């Protein structure tokens, strides 16, 4: 298993001023230096085999404070934005409106006379291929880079890089971690935009209520690899520990609702007790219905339902699971209706639900086809997927975040 963790640099004076910095540079702020220190504390607990970094100053300053000694690679620099360098978005709109509008339509425009978005994407894709080829399988690799580079990796990997703006994901936060894991070049997005180790300043353009979607804690069926769907299951001792950890770091929760399944209710009870909030049980937060696949392992399903298994897993057809269950798109749409409803409650509602339905909704938000669903890893137990309900629709603020 190869793990690649992408880390954005810490906050700079340009970030605070909301100006485009591209391949120019700006020093870290006092908060940025604290973020870099927090990053170092987090990464020191599980060191990497290899650390690569962009050669720009803000990345090097972040690495130094975090106690990292990276190998420098200019291929991981931020996109070259030419004449846009040092301008605010409002100034770019005034001076280079046609370029910005073309970018919004998804056209391959040169950014301020610098790189086009596709040229940048090819550079970052090449850097990633080179990284995997050079350091091989089974390594834990960190790449300290920039928000644009991480966005390009995620958008290209999930298949929406060439769309117009806005994209269905929020900005990458300073020192946030985004992780790809896999073998033989077949990787998944395990987590996106995890800044739980530090304090970040919200961008003024990132507005709208945020809903936290939380997968329940571990059960024995999870350990056995069984589809439990509408079935019941008690938390394991590890599951109880996971739920207790969730309660230590997930802050700002204003409302808790949960699936009626025991595993979700038990997780919600632990979080609710820590926040003095009584969870509301909702049937529409139940897991995707797997029909006759319920309580079976993948090996058992492929043996008993070979044609159906092949159609879904190999041919990429989103059929009702277990003949009389739900499709992934149906489950995702069901969760989407709940998200839209509770989002109107304001603050930060938390929904304790299940892995498949969260992935189904995330696929829906991202607008990716069913065949690419496995590029988004199934959310881990008690991981948090945050969805912001903005003026242009829902966007993922974070995915699969376990919390530090």
């Amino acid at each position: 298993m190869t793990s690649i963790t992408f880390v954005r640099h810490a906050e700079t004076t340009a970030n605070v001023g909301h100006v485009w910095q591209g391949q120019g540079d700006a020093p870290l702020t006092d908060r940025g230096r604290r973020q870099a220190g927090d990053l170092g504390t987090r990464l020191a607990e599980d060191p990497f085999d290899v650390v690569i970094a962009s050669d720009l100053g803000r990345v090097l300053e972040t690495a130094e404070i975090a106690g990292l000694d990276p190998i420098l690679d200019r291929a991981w620099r931020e996109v070259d934005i030419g004449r846009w360098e040092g301008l605010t978005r409002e100034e770019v709109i005034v001076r280079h409106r046609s370029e910005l509008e073309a970018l919004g339509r998804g056209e391959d425009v040169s950014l301020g006379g610098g790189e086009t978005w596709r040229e940048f994407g090819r550079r970052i894709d090449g850097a990633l291929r080179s990284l995997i080829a050079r350091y091989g399988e089974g390594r834990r690799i960190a790449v300290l880079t920039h928000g644009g580079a991480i966005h390009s990796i995620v958008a290209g990997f999930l298949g929406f890089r060439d769309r117009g703006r806005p994209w269905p994901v929020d900005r990458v936060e300073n020192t946030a971690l985004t992780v790809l894991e896999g073998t033989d070049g077949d990787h998944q997005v395990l987590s996106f935009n995890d800044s739980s180790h530090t304090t970040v300043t919200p961008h003024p353009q990132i507005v709208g209520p945020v809903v936290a979607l939380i997968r329940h804690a571990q059960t024995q069926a999870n350990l056995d690899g069984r589809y439990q769907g509408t079935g019941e299951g008690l938390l394991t001792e590890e599951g109880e520990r996971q739920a207790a950890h969730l309660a230590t770091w997930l802050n700002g929760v204003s409302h808790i609702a949960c699936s009626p399944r025991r595993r979700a209710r038990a997780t919600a009870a632990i979080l609710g007790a820590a926040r003095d909030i009584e969870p509301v049980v909702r049937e529409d937060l139940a897991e995707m219905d797997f029909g006759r696949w319920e309580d079976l392992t993948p090996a058992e399903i492929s043996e008993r339902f070979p044609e159906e298994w092949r159609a879904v897993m190999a041919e990429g057809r989103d059929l009702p699971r277990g003949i009389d269950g739900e499709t992934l798109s149906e489950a995702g749409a069901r969760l989407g209706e709940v998200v839209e409803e509770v989002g109107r409650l304001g603050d930060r509602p938390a929904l304790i639900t299940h892995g498949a339905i969260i992935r189904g909704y995330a696929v829906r938000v991202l607008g990716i086809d069913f065949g690419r669903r496995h590029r988004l890893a199934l959310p881990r137990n008690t991981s948090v997927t945050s969805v912001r309900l903005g003026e242009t629709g829902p966007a993922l603020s974070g995915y699969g975040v376990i919390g530090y």
Side-chain angles (χ1 to χ4, degrees), residues 13-20 87-90 201-204:
T13 56
N15 296 151
V16 172
H18 308 300
V19 300
W20 299 63
L87 302 181
T88 65
R89 178 179 174 81
E90 290 72 23
T201 303
H203 193 281

Side-chain angles (χ1 to χ4, degrees), residues 20 28 40 49 59 80 85 167 204 240 305 330 392:
W20 299 63
L28 301 188
D49 299 315
V59 175
D80 181 355
E85 189 77 46
W167 277 349
E240 292 178 353
F305 305 94
E330 288 171 344
T392 59

Side-chain angles (χ1 to χ4, degrees), residues 53 84 133 142 157 175 224 234 320 400 404:
W84 293 12
F157 197 70
T175 69
D224 296 340
L234 299 175
Y404 178 70

